[in-house]
């Protein structure tokens, strides 16, 4: 999996940074794109990225403030023109459906693909054979949610020595064993997957939080995650301002990452008072003094998510 930040600014876009949207690109068999939030200008940012709207499968909305959703109607309308004809599901808090349906109806926009809208108030919002997505309410001026994306454990690698003992050669039988199927050899002997597979590979965990000030939901959502994406709207010298506006500081984001034992903290959602990378550097230094494996979200840069990579580098 790869993360791609399409917008990292809070409130309004600037010449340097767009408002919030995060892409999660699935590799391997799924070959899909998930989006988390869709601020104004997201589709334009996608045009400048390696991401493809034709691959967009799901959109998860953290909350309904404009800097997180104003790009949604335009993106939904334009998706078909960029090859997107497969079904698309939008997950979000109550009010998401009314916002989308009303906008599309009033603008007389017609979609030539199936659009599903799932409203939730936390808990498990999606699950299939490969992933489970859980959500919990955070603490913001309106209902805002964080998402925990867990890749389910995958089968271990085939043991070539054990396969050779059974006289097995590369072919369709390998795939059946990887899928967990038992096979029968010409000799009548049966081979179980556990006979030739190594230990299961632990899936990756990514936690993406919406706007929030410190609250009890953060650490459980982020516990032992490979990557935590946490807002850091202000430096800690503005902690009173952050609290008043229901946001977090860079220090508070780092404290959450340390408490949750995550692998990597990526801070985003920066106040417009920080004009450029030079002015953001103190936020990074402040966070790294508490949680060393911290980085600032950088727009238009792919970040690979590799299980265990970040924890071993701390």
């Amino acid at each position: 999996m790869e993360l791609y930040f399409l917008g990292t600014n809070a409130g309004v876009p600037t010449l340097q940074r767009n408002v919030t949207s995060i892409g999660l690109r699935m590799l391997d068999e799924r070959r899909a794109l998930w989006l988390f939030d869709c601020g104004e200008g997201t589709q334009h940012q996608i045009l400048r990225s390696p991401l493809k709207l034709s691959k967009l499968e799901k959109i998860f909305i953290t909350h309904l403030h404009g800097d997180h959703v104003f790009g949604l109607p335009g993106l939904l309308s334009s998706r078909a023109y960029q090859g997107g004809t497969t079904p698309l599901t939008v997950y979000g808090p109550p009010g998401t459906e009314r916002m989308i349906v009303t906008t599309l109806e009033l603008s007389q926009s017609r979609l030539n693909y199936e659009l599903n809208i799932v409203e939730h108030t936390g808990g498990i919002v999606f699950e299939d054979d490969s992933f489970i997505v859980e959500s919990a309410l955070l603490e913001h001026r309106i209902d805002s949610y964080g998402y925990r994306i867990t890749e389910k454990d995958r089968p271990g690698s085939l043991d070539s020595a054990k396969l050779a003992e059974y006289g097995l050669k590369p072919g369709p039988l390998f795939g059946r064993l990887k899928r967990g199927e038992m096979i029968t050899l010409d000799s009548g002997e049966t081979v179980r997957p556990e006979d030739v597979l190594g230990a299961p590979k632990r899936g990756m965990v990514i936690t993406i939080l919406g706007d929030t000030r410190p609250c009890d939901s953060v650490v459980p959502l982020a516990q032992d995650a490979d990557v935590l994406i946490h807002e850091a709207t202000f430096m800690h010298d503005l902690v009173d301002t952050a609290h008043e506006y229901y946001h977090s500081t860079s220090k508070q984001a780092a404290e959450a990452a340390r408490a949750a034992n995550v692998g990597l903290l990526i801070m985003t959602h920066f106040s417009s008072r920080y004009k450029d990378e030079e002015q953001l550097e103190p936020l990074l230094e402040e966070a790294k003094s508490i949680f060393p494996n911290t980085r600032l979200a950088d727009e238009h840069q792919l970040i690979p998510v590799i299980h265990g990579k970040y924890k071993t580098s701390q």
Side-chain angles (χ1 to χ4, degrees), residues 26-300:
M26 310 292 189
L27 304 176
D28 299 330
E29 294 87 356
R30 197 178 193 102
R31 309 298 297 177
L33 170 66
W34 292 1
L35 280 185
F36 292 81
D37 287 334
C38 189
E40 177 186 355
T42 293
Q43 65 170 313
H44 192 265
Q45 291 286 81
I46 289 176
L47 291 175
R48 299 173 54 216
S49 80
L51 308 182
K52 304 296 182 184
L53 277 181
S54 60
K55 301 293 186 181
L56 182 59
E57 181 182 76
K58 299 182 182 299
I59 302 175
F60 297 87
I61 300 299
T62 63
H63 64 294
L64 296 179
H65 275 157
D67 58 327
H68 293 255
V69 297
F70 280 169
L72 192 54
L75 182 142
L76 293 176
S77 299
S78 300
R79 179 175 179 257
Y81 295 100
Q82 298 185 38
T85 56
T86 54
L88 171 65
T89 304
V90 179
Y91 302 83
T96 300
E97 182 172 12
R98 182 158 60 99
M99 181 200 71
I100 293 173
V101 170
T102 300
T103 304
L104 294 178
E105 286 181 350
L106 291 177
S107 63
Q108 297 187 22
S109 300
R110 292 175 175 82
L111 309 181
N112 64 346
Y113 58 87
E114 179 184 341
L115 176 64
N116 301 298
I117 303 171
V118 178
E119 295 187 341
H120 67 84
T121 55
I124 296 175
V125 299
F126 169 75
E127 184 173 10
D128 66 5
D129 292 340
S130 302
F131 290 92
I132 180 169
V133 180
E134 302 164 89
S135 179
L137 184 65
L138 304 172
E139 191 170 311
H140 195 47
R141 290 189 294 118
I142 62 174
D143 285 356
S144 179
Y145 289 85
Y147 292 98
R148 180 182 176 92
I149 306 99
T150 301
E151 181 186 31
K152 294 183 177 179
D153 291 348
R154 292 165 291 167
S157 300
L158 289 167
D159 187 318
S160 56
K162 291 182 179 179
L163 291 167
E165 290 177 7
Y166 287 104
L168 287 166
K169 297 180 180 180
L173 293 180
F174 279 25
R176 291 178 57 187
L177 288 166
K178 285 283 285 186
R179 291 192 296 271
E181 299 177 22
M182 184 173 66
I183 64 172
T184 302
L185 305 179
D186 292 340
S187 64
E189 183 179 12
T190 59
V191 182
R192 301 169 302 171
E194 56 266 33
D195 295 331
V196 294
L197 288 174
K201 297 178 181 178
R202 181 185 177 276
M204 292 173 284
V205 178
I206 300 171
T207 298
I208 300 175
L209 303 183
D211 291 3
T212 188
R213 58 189 184 189
C215 66
D216 292 340
S217 298
V218 170
V219 171
L221 273 174
Q223 190 66 52
D224 297 321
D226 293 286
V227 179
L228 166 63
I229 299 173
H230 196 303
E231 70 131 288
T233 309
F234 301 104
M235 197 169 172
H236 203 68
D237 60 345
L238 294 173
V239 63
D240 291 339
T241 301
H243 185 79
E244 179 182 357
Y245 290 98
Y246 290 84
H247 286 297
S248 297
T249 68
S250 50
K251 178 182 177 182
Q252 290 168 335
E255 289 171 340
R258 182 175 62 184
N261 187 40
V262 305
L264 173 67
L265 168 64
I266 305 177
M267 299 191 302
T268 188
H269 199 267
F270 309 118
S271 168
S272 298
R273 70 178 58 232
Y274 309 111
K275 302 299 182 185
D276 51 34
E277 294 303 311
E278 183 178 348
Q279 293 188 10
L280 285 173
E281 193 64 26
L283 280 78
L284 179 60
E285 293 175 0
E286 183 173 74
K288 291 182 78 168
S289 70
I290 297 168
F291 189 78
N293 213 12
T294 299
R295 65 182 293 174
L296 301 173
D298 189 8
E299 293 182 21
H300 296 294

